[in-house]
């Protein structure tokens, strides 16, 4: 008979065998801080225009080579619970602002690193959290004073291009002017008069070959497909959209047809053919010139479509079908019936084209009421095009932020240094122990100009010294000069290096929330995973068969 070993008293006595619990500063808080610091340091070297690339191979064995923190974080399978909170904060930033994910992770890591020193000196967690929250409130008060530029009109091409240029520079240094022009052109062309701008209305089509400079914007949609029938182009086309296959309709229940003679077989086949022909003839009679389907086109259906001069396009993705529906202002029908006049979409031209040896079907809308624009990216490798796509995604998200709030802050680390100095002055006015946390918050903000300098290969201490000296002299827009070999500064406003105001506000809020949440954890309880391997039974035990 197996000996029953009593469980130790405490929380572990309530949990299953194999559960683990960590508590206290050494076991829980410092463990969490150590994991978060390592995670932040790994993405810190990818910050800024000269950031290093990371090679990530995800759980599906797909390889990514990128400096985009959003992609790195999304593809890493982070398991540590505290680091997971950082990932969640960066994902929230991605959802709210679409940019600034690296900023959030780096700031959380820096805040926790500074908090660790205070904890070792005996400052309590609650005092640090209170100090960080006071510092955040003060920072959000100061930020409106640091606004150096504002986009008044989101339809002004020049203003928009200047505003989104810096965000693209951090991903595609050297191509920022060309890409900013493409994105500004695409976004302004589909900016609605009344409703809000939808990021999903800017599509990207990647076609291998040539170089980035051969990329272009097209008003409408592009699909890397070949048409199904013989007709390859239509002008002023009305479009019928179906989610079902364009073929002989299958019955809902199985049936058996008893055919005794050759005439009966002929009549049966002719009946199906005539029914399909009637359906396609009815579609053509509505004035439709193009039929788009989410299902397959049968051979008999294609024969009749060629006969009535209808162009056949098949889309494999239901999401592409929905987007095309929005682009042409049509309605997707679930059954093969003649669409009503209001259910038909309209496009100026639908044609098969060839771009760099790749056959594409182009739905082009040449009017001012275009609903969707497509950026055609050219590049020598898939990896290079993926990186350009991420830069375009950030640029489009920044444009959306501009439509909500056109205020801009000086970039290149200028805002962080100014906030750091003002917070240090604010900390002197506080009487309690939370003043130390406010000073540490100010020190944590200095990590951004440091990271920019280190990634460029310049002495970060000298850069920080030069920036503090300039800001004490009243030059609040002075930032780090990337193109200088020496630790130099430049006027970010004159150089047109801007950060979005709303993006910065969301990033600061998300980072402080994540850091304070991690600091408030004093116990980690890890329950035993279900479905794991069963423990081996000792010989002679009761359970042995």
């Amino acid at each position: 008979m197996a000996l029953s070993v009593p469980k130790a008293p405490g929380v572990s006595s309530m949990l299953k065998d194999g559960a683990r619990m960590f508590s206290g500063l050494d076991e829980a808080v410092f463990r969490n801080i150590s994991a978060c610091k390592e995670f932040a340091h790994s993405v810190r070297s990818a910050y800024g225009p000269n950031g290093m690339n990371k090679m990530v191979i995800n759980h599906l064995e797909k390889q990514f080579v990128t400096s985009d923190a959003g992609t790195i974080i999304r593809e890493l399978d982070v398991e540590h619970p505290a680091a997971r909170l950082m990932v969640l904060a960066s994902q929230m930033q991605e959802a709210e602002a679409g940019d600034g994910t690296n900023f959030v992770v780096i700031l959380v890591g820096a805040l926790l690193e500074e908090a660790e020193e205070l904890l070792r000196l005996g400052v309590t967690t609650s005092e640090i959290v209170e100090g960080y929250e006071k510092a955040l409130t003060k920072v959000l008060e100061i930020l409106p004073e640091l606004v150096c530029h504002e986009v008044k009109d989101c339809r002004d091409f020049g203003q928009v291009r200047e505003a989104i240029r810096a965000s693209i520079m951090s991903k595609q240094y050297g191509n920022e002017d060309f890409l900013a022009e493409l994105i500004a052109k695409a976004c302004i062309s589909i900016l609605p008069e009344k409703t809000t701008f939808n990021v999903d209305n800017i599509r990207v089509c990647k076609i291998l070959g040539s170089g980035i400079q051969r990329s272009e914007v097209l008003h409408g949609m592009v699909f890397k497909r070949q048409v199904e029938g013989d007709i390859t182009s239509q002008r002023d086309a009305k479009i019928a959209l179906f989610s079902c296959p364009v073929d002989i309709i299958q019955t809902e229940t199985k049936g058996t047809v008893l055919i005794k003679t050759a005439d009966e077989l002929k009549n049966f086949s002719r009946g199906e053919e005539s029914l399909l022909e009637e359906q396609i003839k009815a579609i053509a009679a509505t004035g439709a010139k193009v039929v788009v389907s989410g299902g397959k086109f049968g051979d008999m259906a294609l024969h009749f479509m060629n006969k009535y001069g209808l162009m056949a396009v098949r889309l494999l993705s239901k999401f592409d079908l929905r987007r095309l529906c929005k682009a042409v202002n049509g309605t997707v029908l679930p059954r093969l019936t003649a669409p009503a006049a209001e259910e038909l979409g309209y496009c100026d031209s639908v044609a098969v084209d060839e771009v760099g040896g790749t056959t594409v079907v182009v739905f082009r809308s040449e009017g001012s009421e275009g609903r969707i624009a497509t950026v055609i990216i050219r590049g020598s490798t898939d990896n290079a095009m993926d990186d350009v796509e991420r830069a375009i995604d950030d640029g489009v998200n920044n444009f959306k932020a501009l439509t909500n709030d056109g205020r801009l802050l000086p970039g290149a680390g200028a805002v962080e240094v100014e906030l750091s100095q003002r917070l240090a002055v604010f900390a002197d006015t506080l009487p309690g122990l939370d003043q130390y946390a406010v000073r540490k918050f100010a020190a944590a903000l200095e990590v951004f100009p440091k990271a920019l300098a280190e990634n460029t290969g310049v002495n970060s201490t000298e850069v920080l010294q030069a920036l503090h000296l300039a800001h004490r002299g009243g030059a609040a827009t002075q930032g780090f000069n990337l193109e200088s070999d020496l630790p130099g500064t430049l006027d970010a406003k004159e150089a047109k290096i801007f950060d979005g105001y709303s993006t910065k506000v969301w990033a600061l809020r998300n980072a402080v929330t994540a850091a304070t949440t991690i600091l408030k954890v004093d116990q980690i309880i890890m329950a035993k995973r279900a479905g794991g391997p069963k423990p081996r039974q000792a010989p002679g035990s009761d359970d042995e068969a």
Side-chain angles (χ1 to χ4, degrees), residues 59 61 65 122 136-137 155 199 229 245 360 399 417 487 498 502 506 511:
H59 63 289
E61 299 293 318
V65 180
L136 175 64
T137 307
R155 295 181 191 279
V199 174
V360 293
F399 177 81
V417 173
F498 300 119
S502 59
W506 277 111

Side-chain angles (χ1 to χ4, degrees), residues 1-7:
M1 191 171 167
L3 180 67
S4 176
V5 180
K7 290 186 178 180

